Amino acid sequence: MAVTQQLARIPAGYLAACRQSADASPDGDPRWDPPAYDVLDLDWAPALLNRVGEVGGLGEVHLDALRRATDGDAALDLGFLDTPPHAIAPFGGAPTGLDAAQVSSVSTLLGQIDMPVLLAALPADERAAASLIGQVGGITGGLRPYLLEHFDALRDFYVDAAERHLLVVLWWD
């Protein structure tokens, strides 16, 4: 099984309930199980998307928003989600997250990024483009469609989270 980045959009109350469950459980079980429609699997796209932003000349404010959208922040106390045997990120670093205000800011800035323009800044040759952004091996369906699909999914995920005033939790699984 490949390790991929996961994101979940959740209400603050759900996070509080998970923290309370972890505190009350003898083995620290937070009962973490966000609904499938509120979880996004970004596959291996985060580093590639960030690299496309760098190579394409994305401004620092927007590049930082893209990084926060895929890296999260340490502002939320998520240590209880990283406690064995119920750790949600057994194969990656500790889970990170963004609060509702951060989600709203990131959503706005992601909406201002023109990913097709950034992708057009890559070399026309697919292998050269992949090499420039650090992609090893081919991607079924092509590099540009893969990146555009994952960026669009990320942007739409954050737009919905912002509209619903939700937090976003990120982890690698």
Side-chain angles (χ1 to χ4, degrees):
M1 178 201 262
V3 177
T4 61
Q5 187 174 46
Q6 308 294 309
L7 293 84
R9 48 188 177 212
I10 57 169
Y14 180 76
L15 188 62
C18 287
R19 184 177 288 111
Q20 185 175 24
S21 292
D23 289 344
S25 170
D27 65 351
D29 186 356
R31 294 196 167 91
W32 174 260
D33 190 21
Y37 59 83
D38 277 327
V39 175
L40 174 64
D41 183 340
L42 267 188
D43 198 36
W44 299 330
L48 300 176
L49 290 171
N50 286 311
R51 185 69 181 127
V52 167
E54 293 167 2
V55 169
L58 191 58
E60 195 56 41
V61 169
H62 291 92
L63 188 56
D64 181 59
L66 183 56
R67 287 181 185 135
R68 286 188 302 143
T70 58
D71 292 344
D73 191 301
L76 296 178
D77 174 16
L78 301 174
F80 68 95
L81 293 175
D82 196 31
T83 304
H86 302 286
I88 66 170
F91 305 109
T96 60
L98 298 174
D99 65 27
Q102 291 170 311
V103 166
S104 179
S105 174
V106 165
S107 171
T108 298
L109 293 166
L110 288 178
Q112 298 168 356
I113 295 173
D114 191 341
M115 187 54 69
V117 167
L118 295 175
L119 293 171
L122 295 176
D125 178 73
E126 179 117 351
R127 287 183 192 197
S131 177
L132 182 62
I133 64 170
Q135 171 58 34
V136 178
I139 293 179
T140 304
L143 179 65
R144 286 173 179 78
Y146 172 86
L147 291 171
L148 186 58
E149 175 185 338
H150 284 81
F151 176 79
D152 288 349
L154 179 68
R155 183 198 58 227
D156 295 348
F157 186 84
Y158 272 94
V159 165
D160 183 70
E163 288 173 354
R164 295 167 50 202
H165 307 287
L166 299 176
L167 314 175
V168 172
V169 173
L170 305 92
W171 71 99
W172 286 87
D173 185 17

